[in-house]
Coordinates of all heavy atoms in Angstrom, one line a residue:
R113 N 125.6 -127.6 -25.9 CA 124.3 -127.1 -25.5 C 123.5 -128.2 -24.7 O 122.9 -127.9 -23.7 CB 123.4 -126.7 -26.7 CG 122.1 -126.0 -26.4 CD 121.4 -125.6 -27.8 NE 120.0 -125.9 -27.7 CZ 119.5 -127.1 -27.9 NH1 120.2 -128.1 -28.4 NH2 118.2 -127.3 -27.8
L114 N 123.6 -129.4 -25.2 CA 122.9 -130.5 -24.5 C 123.5 -130.7 -23.1 O 122.8 -130.9 -22.1 CB 123.0 -131.8 -25.2 CG 122.1 -132.0 -26.5 CD1 122.4 -133.3 -27.1 CD2 120.6 -131.9 -26.1
T117 N 122.6 -127.8 -20.8 CA 121.2 -127.9 -20.3 C 121.1 -129.0 -19.3 O 120.4 -128.7 -18.2 CB 120.3 -128.2 -21.5 OG1 120.6 -127.3 -22.6 CG2 118.8 -128.1 -21.1
Q118 N 121.7 -130.1 -19.5 CA 121.7 -131.2 -18.5 C 122.3 -130.7 -17.2 O 121.8 -130.8 -16.1 CB 122.4 -132.4 -19.0 CG 122.5 -133.6 -18.0 CD 121.1 -134.1 -17.6 OE1 120.3 -134.4 -18.5 NE2 120.8 -134.2 -16.3
T121 N 120.4 -128.2 -14.8 CA 119.2 -128.7 -13.9 C 119.7 -129.2 -12.6 O 119.0 -129.2 -11.6 CB 118.5 -129.9 -14.6 OG1 119.4 -131.0 -14.8 CG2 118.0 -129.5 -16.0
E122 N 121.0 -129.7 -12.5 CA 121.5 -130.3 -11.3 C 121.6 -129.3 -10.1 O 120.9 -129.5 -9.1 CB 122.8 -131.1 -11.6 CG 122.8 -131.9 -12.8 CD 122.0 -133.1 -12.8 OE1 121.3 -133.4 -11.8 OE2 122.0 -133.9 -13.8
S125 N 118.1 -127.9 -9.0 CA 117.3 -128.6 -8.1 C 117.8 -128.5 -6.7 O 116.9 -128.4 -5.7 CB 117.2 -130.1 -8.5 OG 118.5 -130.7 -8.3
E152 N 122.9 -134.6 -6.7 CA 122.7 -133.7 -7.7 C 124.0 -132.8 -7.9 O 124.4 -132.4 -9.0 CB 121.5 -132.8 -7.5 CG 120.2 -133.5 -7.4 CD 119.7 -134.4 -8.5 OE1 120.5 -134.6 -9.5 OE2 118.6 -134.9 -8.6
I191 N 117.9 -122.6 -17.0 CA 117.5 -122.7 -18.5 C 116.0 -123.2 -18.6 O 115.2 -122.6 -19.4 CB 118.5 -123.6 -19.3 CG1 119.9 -122.9 -19.2 CG2 118.0 -123.8 -20.7 CD1 121.0 -123.8 -19.8
L192 N 115.7 -124.3 -18.0 CA 114.4 -125.0 -18.2 C 113.4 -124.5 -17.2 O 113.7 -124.4 -16.0 CB 114.6 -126.5 -18.2 CG 115.5 -127.0 -19.3 CD1 115.7 -128.5 -19.2 CD2 115.0 -126.7 -20.7
G193 N 112.1 -124.4 -17.7 CA 111.0 -123.8 -16.8 C 110.9 -124.5 -15.4 O 110.9 -123.7 -14.4
F195 N 112.7 -125.9 -13.5 CA 113.8 -125.6 -12.5 C 113.8 -124.3 -12.0 O 114.7 -123.9 -11.2 CB 115.1 -126.1 -13.1 CG 115.1 -127.6 -13.4 CD1 114.7 -128.1 -14.6 CD2 115.5 -128.5 -12.4 CE1 114.6 -129.5 -14.8 CE2 115.5 -129.8 -12.6 CZ 115.0 -130.3 -13.8
F208 N 108.1 -133.4 -7.2 CA 109.3 -133.1 -8.0 C 110.2 -134.4 -8.2 O 110.6 -134.7 -9.3 CB 110.1 -132.0 -7.4 CG 111.3 -131.6 -8.1 CD1 111.3 -130.5 -8.9 CD2 112.6 -132.3 -8.0 CE1 112.5 -130.1 -9.6 CE2 113.7 -131.8 -8.7 CZ 113.6 -130.8 -9.5
T212 N 109.7 -134.9 -11.9 CA 110.8 -134.2 -12.6 C 112.1 -135.0 -12.6 O 112.8 -135.1 -13.6 CB 111.1 -132.8 -11.9 OG1 109.8 -132.2 -11.8 CG2 112.0 -132.0 -12.7
D213 N 112.4 -135.7 -11.5 CA 113.6 -136.6 -11.6 C 113.3 -137.8 -12.6 O 114.3 -138.3 -13.2 CB 113.8 -137.3 -10.2 CG 114.7 -136.3 -9.3 OD1 115.9 -136.4 -9.5 OD2 114.1 -135.5 -8.6
D215 N 111.9 -137.2 -15.5 CA 112.3 -136.7 -16.7 C 113.8 -136.9 -16.8 O 114.4 -137.2 -17.9 CB 112.0 -135.2 -16.8 CG 112.7 -134.5 -18.0 OD1 112.6 -135.0 -19.1 OD2 113.5 -133.5 -17.8
G216 N 114.5 -136.6 -15.7 CA 116.0 -136.8 -15.6 C 116.3 -138.2 -16.1 O 117.2 -138.4 -16.9
Q219 N 115.9 -138.4 -19.9 CA 116.9 -137.6 -20.6 C 118.3 -138.3 -20.5 O 119.0 -138.4 -21.4 CB 117.0 -136.2 -20.1 CG 115.7 -135.4 -20.3 CD 115.3 -135.2 -21.7 OE1 116.1 -135.4 -22.6 NE2 114.0 -134.9 -22.0
L220 N 118.6 -138.8 -19.3 CA 119.9 -139.4 -19.0 C 120.0 -140.7 -19.8 O 121.0 -141.0 -20.4 CB 120.1 -139.7 -17.5 CG 120.3 -138.5 -16.7 CD1 120.4 -138.9 -15.2 CD2 121.6 -137.7 -17.0
L223 N 120.7 -139.8 -23.3 CA 122.1 -139.4 -23.5 C 123.1 -140.5 -23.3 O 124.2 -140.5 -23.8 CB 122.5 -138.2 -22.5 CG 121.7 -136.9 -22.7 CD1 122.0 -135.9 -21.6 CD2 122.0 -136.3 -24.0
E242 N 120.3 -142.0 -9.8 CA 119.0 -141.4 -10.0 C 117.8 -142.2 -9.5 O 116.8 -141.7 -9.0 CB 118.8 -141.2 -11.5 CG 117.8 -140.1 -11.9 CD 118.0 -138.7 -11.5 OE1 119.2 -138.3 -11.5 OE2 117.1 -138.1 -11.1
D299 N 106.7 -130.4 -20.1 CA 107.4 -129.4 -20.9 C 108.9 -129.6 -21.1 O 109.5 -129.1 -22.0 CB 107.2 -128.0 -20.2 CG 105.8 -127.4 -20.5 OD1 105.2 -127.8 -21.5 OD2 105.3 -126.6 -19.7
L300 N 109.5 -130.4 -20.1 CA 110.9 -130.5 -20.1 C 111.4 -131.4 -21.3 O 112.6 -131.5 -21.6 CB 111.4 -131.2 -18.9 CG 111.2 -130.4 -17.6 CD1 111.6 -131.2 -16.4 CD2 112.1 -129.2 -17.6
F301 N 110.4 -132.0 -22.0 CA 110.8 -132.8 -23.2 C 110.9 -131.9 -24.4 O 111.4 -132.4 -25.5 CB 109.8 -134.0 -23.4 CG 109.9 -135.0 -22.3 CD1 109.3 -134.9 -21.1 CD2 110.7 -136.1 -22.5 CE1 109.5 -135.8 -20.1 CE2 110.9 -137.1 -21.6 CZ 110.3 -136.9 -20.3
G302 N 110.6 -130.7 -24.4 CA 110.7 -129.8 -25.5 C 109.5 -129.9 -26.4 O 108.5 -130.6 -26.1
S303 N 109.5 -129.2 -27.6 CA 108.4 -129.2 -28.5 C 108.1 -130.6 -29.1 O 109.1 -131.4 -29.4 CB 108.7 -128.3 -29.6 OG 108.5 -127.0 -29.2
V305 N 107.2 -131.0 -32.2 CA 107.9 -130.9 -33.5 C 109.2 -130.1 -33.3 O 109.1 -129.0 -32.9 CB 107.0 -130.2 -34.5 CG1 107.6 -130.4 -35.9 CG2 105.6 -130.7 -34.4
S306 N 110.4 -130.8 -33.4 CA 111.6 -130.1 -33.1 C 112.7 -130.5 -34.1 O 113.1 -131.6 -34.2 CB 112.0 -130.5 -31.7 OG 113.3 -130.2 -31.4
S307 N 113.2 -129.4 -34.7 CA 114.3 -129.7 -35.6 C 115.6 -130.0 -34.8 O 116.5 -130.7 -35.2 CB 114.6 -128.5 -36.5 OG 114.7 -127.4 -35.8
N308 N 115.7 -129.4 -33.6 CA 116.8 -129.8 -32.7 C 116.8 -131.3 -32.4 O 117.9 -131.9 -32.5 CB 116.7 -129.1 -31.3 CG 116.9 -127.6 -31.3 OD1 117.5 -127.1 -32.3 ND2 116.4 -126.9 -30.3
A309 N 115.6 -131.8 -32.0 CA 115.6 -133.2 -31.7 C 115.9 -134.1 -32.9 O 116.6 -135.0 -32.8 CB 114.1 -133.5 -31.2
K318 N 122.0 -137.7 -29.3 CA 121.0 -138.1 -28.3 C 120.1 -139.1 -29.0 O 119.4 -138.8 -30.0 CB 120.3 -136.8 -27.9 CG 119.3 -137.1 -26.8 CD 118.6 -135.7 -26.4 CE 117.4 -136.0 -25.5 NZ 116.6 -134.8 -25.2
N359 N 111.1 -135.8 -29.5 CA 110.8 -135.3 -28.1 C 109.5 -136.0 -27.7 O 109.3 -136.3 -26.5 CB 110.7 -133.8 -28.1 CG 112.0 -133.1 -28.2 OD1 113.0 -133.7 -27.9 ND2 112.0 -131.8 -28.6
I401 N 105.1 -125.3 -23.3 CA 106.1 -125.5 -24.3 C 105.4 -126.4 -25.4 O 104.7 -127.4 -25.0 CB 107.3 -126.2 -23.8 CG1 108.1 -125.4 -22.8 CG2 108.3 -126.7 -24.9 CD1 108.9 -124.3 -23.3
Ligands
BYC22 N1 111.7 -124.7 -20.6 O1 113.2 -127.8 -30.1 P1 112.9 -127.5 -28.7 C1 117.3 -133.8 -14.7 C2 113.8 -124.6 -25.2 S1 116.1 -133.3 -15.8 C3 112.4 -123.7 -21.2 O2 111.4 -127.4 -28.4 P2 114.8 -129.4 -27.9 C4 117.0 -133.5 -13.3 C5 115.0 -125.3 -25.7 O3 116.0 -125.4 -24.8 C6 116.7 -133.6 -17.4 N2 112.9 -123.8 -22.4 O4 113.5 -128.6 -27.8 C7 115.8 -133.7 -12.7 C8 115.3 -124.5 -27.0 O5 116.1 -123.4 -26.6 P3 117.3 -122.9 -27.5 C9 117.6 -132.5 -18.0 C10 112.7 -124.9 -23.1 O6 115.9 -128.5 -28.0 C11 115.6 -133.4 -11.4 C12 114.0 -124.1 -27.4 O7 113.1 -124.2 -26.3 N3 118.3 -132.9 -19.2 O8 118.3 -134.3 -15.1 O9 114.6 -130.5 -28.8 C13 116.6 -133.0 -10.6 C14 113.4 -124.9 -28.6 O10 113.6 -126.3 -28.2 C15 111.9 -126.0 -22.5 C16 117.9 -132.5 -20.4 O11 117.0 -131.8 -20.6 C17 111.4 -125.8 -21.2 N4 110.8 -126.8 -20.6 O12 114.7 -130.1 -26.5 C18 117.9 -132.8 -11.2 C19 118.8 -133.1 -21.5 N5 111.9 -127.0 -23.4 O13 118.3 -124.0 -27.4 C20 118.1 -133.1 -12.5 C21 119.4 -132.1 -22.4 C22 112.5 -126.6 -24.5 O14 116.7 -122.7 -28.8 N6 118.5 -131.2 -23.0 N7 113.0 -125.4 -24.3 O15 117.7 -121.6 -26.8 C23 117.8 -131.6 -24.1 O16 117.9 -132.7 -24.6 C24 117.0 -130.6 -24.8 O17 117.6 -129.3 -24.6 C25 115.5 -130.5 -24.3 C26 114.8 -129.5 -25.3 C27 114.9 -131.8 -24.2 C28 115.4 -129.8 -23.0

Side-chain angles (χ1 to χ4, degrees):
R113 189 179 135 274
L114 286 177
T117 308
Q118 177 64 49
T121 63
E122 314 291 359
S125 69
E152 301 300 10
I191 298 171
L192 300 174
F195 294 89
F208 181 96
T212 310
D213 276 275
D215 167 56
Q219 298 298 340
L220 291 174
L223 295 175
E242 200 65 40
D299 281 338
L300 294 173
F301 289 83
S303 284
V305 191
S306 166
S307 55
N308 287 341
K318 184 179 171 189
N359 288 341
I401 297 280

